Amino acid sequence: MAPDKENDGKFTSRLERSNSYSTLWGNRANLQSSRCIHYNAQQRRFDLLCRTCQYSFRVDEHGWLEHQYWGVRLQPDDDLDFLHHTNVAQPFDPIPEKTERFKPHLAVASDILKRQSNDSNRNTWKAATMMQRHHYNEEASRLENACWRLLAMKQRRKEKECAETDSPHTCSEHISIPVTEEDRALLFEEAIRALMTDNQDTVLKAQAANKEHFDVREEADKRHEREMSRIPPGLERVGKNTKLLEFSDYGTGDYRIPSFNVTYGDGSNISPLHYKAHRITLGVVPMDCSMPIVGDELSVQSDASALIVTLADPFTDLEVDLHYAVFQDLDVIVRRTVIRNKSPAGGVTVQKIASATVDFESDHYHFLHLPGEYTAERQVVYQPIVEGYRGVDSRRGTSSHQHNPFAVISRGDTPPEESRGEVFGFALVYSGNHRIEIEKTETGRVRFNIGINPDHFSWSLASGCSLEAPECIMAYSNEGLTYMSQQLHKLIRSHVIPQEFRGNWVCPILLNTWEALYFDQTHDNIMSIAKEAKDIGVELLVMDDGWYGQRNNDKTSLGDWDVDLKKLPNGLKALVDEVNGLGLKFGIWVEPEMISVESKLYEANPEWALGQSGKSRSEGRNQLVLDFTRKDVRDYIYGKLEAILNSANIEYVKWDCNRHLTEVYSRQLPPYRQGEVFHRYALGVYEVFQRVRTNFPHIIVETCAGGGGRFDVAMLKYGPQIWASDNTDGLARIRIQYGTSMAYPISSIGSHISSVPNHQTFRRTPLKTRFVVALCGTFGYELDLTKEVTPKEKEQLKAMNRLRTRLAPIIFHGDFYRLWNPFCSTNNVAAWMFVSPNRLKALVFAFVTFKKTLGRYLPRLRLRGLDPHQKYVVSELVPTTIRRITSVQFAEDQDRPVYQFGKKTLEISGLALLNVGLPIKLEFDGDAMLMELTAMSAHTTTCAMTPSASFVDPKAHPESPLSLSPIQPPTHQHEMAMTMLEPPPDEVPRSISHRRII
Ligand code: DGJ
């Protein structure tokens, strides 16, 4: 196929460029090794060196990439070759025929050739070639020898010619035959061919000409044999099915779930892959398609290095590039795969392409993942990995509420723990259909694949075209789940979210009008809420769904992105200006990927919706999905977004997506490309997101999909935060946010205080608890301040906002530790904490959802991450007001603070907090506790600097918000303001207004 004739989108034309190395990539230096990536030519081994861990694989005697090790850093001189003795040959493990041999020199030869291309003096050349030996060793010397032999043959022939023609050039002169540039290139080629080709024509010809002097063929054959039999004595040859592989090929003896699968024009899909070449470079390698990647593709980052290993099928010219990026100072590796059809003969169809395959050594393992549902996303589930196959995936067109594209493999026969044990985390940078595959085989080894879901997927690759699979972040921890999560959090915060929102950035406190107004988003309603919002300290007002077309309910107007002048009679700009006039930023809700059948857009362009004409289409939330594989659709929608964003001072966008894909068919693509629609849809969405980012970089984008139905790393490339769930109930949120924290930074988790009874669960959770849960995320409100809060509560909200402003830096940039797991707690409790990077400050949170008994003690809460040598002031920030009269177990609301330890502050050493723990009392259903810890040394210093800094505003100390914000005993006024004044939650929900709930 001529690229993009059928679909002239920008993203596809870039996608299908024949050379996957873009210009940017081409400009980068090709290194022998980088600080994080080493190639040992003698052992043909690659070592990827992370902060504390190492990932190693080698090119084996067949040219397969054999995975060797992923674990703690080893000594540089540790030779991993002993590992291959653990491979046990099996009778039913197919071994390739002898003709299928690894041809290791090609890459090496071309590299030498390149290096020497400016040197025409053969002695210098020879000396330089010899100097390369420390890189190439045997390969270089074999190649070099072959060249010199051929050169000698050439000289011999020349001599003979001289003798025959009785030329004066005789023996003494033949030595100085000049080796021209051209000669050298030819010689190299000849030598390579002589050494490499199975039909050794060149050698045979040379042999025939110079039989008496050089039996090159024999030499080459012997060398070849030696090459192939470089298996240490006593070691049996084993086939693919028994080996740990970096990437498995298809149809050649690896019976495990394959890493990829293609179908050739002749119907076959047999694709042996062998090492062909590799390249090491500084910085991350950009993609040719619109898919987001980890790292900043536009600048060469000195803290990242990349390795690209090319595998090739010698019979079909299919190539696979395995990309590895290592980020210095983190224990993560980012992998991806590119598949390229270099055959001039014709097209192939890709049926499957994993982003990463990892084979784990035989052992006991557990698999942890984050399944869920609408309003209960990312719940933590784990199970032992047993023999057989296990798959988890999305077939819905988004990463989904049901199965997050994240998985953990932990070593051991007990479930993964937070603070110890080896865990391997995988987060796919993809928002479309994904699949996680696990297979434990008869050898006890475990294969793990992650990538695009092969179901409903096929991709036609014309000659010269390539397909790039999404990236997968792989995090290693030898200290349990917490460290793994911290690595992912740091990587996402420093290398994924847009640069504008990195560093000390903290998102503004927002109020979203959805649960306050639903579709009643009128100018007056918004302004009355905005005034109240400003009064309590909100910084950003977000107008949600209902402001456009005739959007009075969810049956209409998606696609008609023009202001409804009945609701906003003065237009959008007037509203935004008025909101800005109050001192608030303004944000807007959009759902660009969708179309209502009842809309002007659908009337004009019914073919813009996914689906086949003449066949029915399923609606979800009364809407269809726009065909984002089409450039005309994307351009139109982007144009509308651009107009909206240019029309007023909009500083935040909530990008929603309220249904999953069905009838996935694009009327613009030919039949053989229909298997591409799911993936092209994702690429199309990324393209529009990127246009918004490029042209409106200052806008905070919060992505959303009917709550948290598209919570993945790829989305975080376009905005720093994602709405976690449409379930705003504080208690339900504890589990959702806990599960989300496994992979995603707390700063990315959209979380709001909403009204009681809660609109989704009808539960009455105390304001204090709703506040404390919402603090552990972006923090904001989702309620009608004009109707749903009492004057007393309003005062509390003001204090809460001040407190949030003070605490946000440590929540956004500190290290996160999970303490009590709500998914396996017998006491229905949860706890976690944040620690500043210098360990001088910490925040500790604990919650109970439902108290089973009154008498049972909770375990003491042992803290983590603190400095054992420091003494900390432990201060309770939001005490309860419930006092229990023990003689009758009567719980009484006293309207004054009741502290856990009878007083607001305690002084305890880090050592005691880590080893003895805090005795916590959570007195009633839905109770919560928040403690702030400040090291005494920090306290002394900072107190001296800011003597009366109660509720210090970090903006006043921008130089170091984490270390300078001191803990200060609040004034009595503050103390009262922060006191939780609500009674315990009702068991029986009270009535709720008849509002629609999405
Ligand atoms: C689903 C979102 O998750 C809600 O917060 C809200 O924006 C609605 N959609 C609006 O339709």
Side-chain angles (χ1 to χ4, degrees), residues 374 512 514-515 519 544-546 548 551 554 589 591 621 654 656-658 704-708 723 725-726 782 998:
Y374 176 67
N512 178 295
W514 178 241
E515 289 194 8
F519 295 106
D544 210 277
D545 192 357
Y548 54 92
R551 184 77 168 170
D554 61 14
W589 175 98
E591 194 176 0
R621 208 206 189 195
K654 179 176 174 189
D656 209 341
C657 168
N658 280 303
C704 166
W723 182 228
S725 179
D726 271 356
E782 188 108 5
I998 162 78

Side-chain angles (χ1 to χ4, degrees), residues 66-329:
E66 184 168 14
H67 177 77
Q68 291 184 299
Y69 175 71
W70 188 12
V72 293
R73 282 271 282 265
L74 305 174
Q75 296 297 328
D77 59 352
D78 271 330
D79 180 351
L80 293 178
D81 272 354
F82 69 92
L83 285 174
H84 313 307
H85 290 268
T86 59
N87 289 329
V88 181
Q90 304 277 329
F92 282 87
D93 188 8
I95 296 178
E97 358 163 30
K98 287 214 166 152
T99 51
E100 198 200 298
R101 281 169 177 172
F102 168 42
K103 303 165 176 69
H105 311 291
L106 287 169
V108 174
S110 66
D111 210 354
I112 293 179
L113 190 58
K114 263 184 252 148
R115 278 159 194 281
Q116 306 309 322
S117 63
N118 294 325
D119 175 20
S120 59
N121 178 293
R122 70 173 183 161
N123 286 327
T124 321
W125 175 43
K126 181 163 180 163
T129 312
M130 286 175 75
M131 286 200 27
Q132 298 301 323
R133 284 188 179 181
H134 71 275
H135 289 309
Y136 296 118
N137 301 302
E138 293 167 64
E139 283 88 347
S141 63
R142 275 198 298 277
L143 182 68
E144 185 196 332
N145 287 339
C147 287
W148 291 108
R149 261 183 224 108
L150 286 169
L151 178 62
M153 286 194 296
K154 194 171 170 183
Q155 288 170 333
R156 202 84 183 162
R157 278 201 295 276
K158 270 244 152 98
E159 267 180 45
K160 247 172 137 186
E161 279 164 30
C162 293
E164 277 161 19
T165 56
D166 205 15
S167 150
H169 302 286
T170 50
C171 287
S172 61
E173 275 189 48
H174 82 263
I175 295 160
S176 59
I177 293 173
V179 182
T180 65
E181 190 77 23
E182 209 184 329
D183 277 341
R184 200 176 58 235
L186 284 173
L187 279 172
F188 253 104
E189 268 178 34
E190 266 185 279
I192 293 161
R193 249 179 283 139
L195 284 165
M196 299 301 119
T197 48
D198 285 332
N199 83 36
Q200 302 204 349
D201 275 358
T202 321
V203 185
L204 287 173
K205 273 183 208 149
Q207 224 183 327
N210 295 283
K211 225 178 188 130
E212 69 282 25
H213 299 293
F214 300 99
D215 190 346
V216 179
R217 181 176 181 206
E218 200 183 284
E219 281 297 299
D221 267 359
K222 276 190 206 144
R223 279 192 302 277
H224 217 121
E225 279 311 314
R226 272 205 305 278
E227 183 68 46
M228 293 312 300
S229 57
R230 216 196 275 167
I231 298 172
L235 193 70
E236 282 184 86
R237 285 179 77 195
V238 299
K240 277 183 192 159
N241 196 52
T242 312
K243 287 208 166 189
L244 301 176
L245 296 174
E246 274 301 293
F247 199 73
S248 102
D249 57 21
Y250 195 84
T252 65
D254 187 349
Y255 297 112
R256 294 166 291 188
I257 37 173
S259 309
F260 84 108
N261 179 7
V262 300
T263 310
Y264 297 99
D266 62 3
S268 74
N269 52 12
I270 302 158
S271 329
L273 288 181
H274 297 267
Y275 167 86
K276 180 179 174 187
H278 73 267
R279 188 166 182 180
I280 297 170
T281 186
L282 271 189
V284 297
V285 180
M287 279 209 197
D288 281 340
C289 68
S290 59
M291 204 131 52
I293 64 166
V294 176
D296 300 318
E297 49 276 74
L298 297 180
S299 58
V300 178
Q301 287 166 278
S302 52
D303 57 350
S305 319
L307 162 70
I308 296 96
V309 182
T310 301
L311 306 174
D313 176 342
F315 304 103
T316 61
D317 288 332
L318 190 83
E319 285 188 358
V320 171
D321 287 342
L322 305 185
H323 285 242
Y324 301 80
V326 182
F327 290 82
Q328 200 178 302
D329 301 332

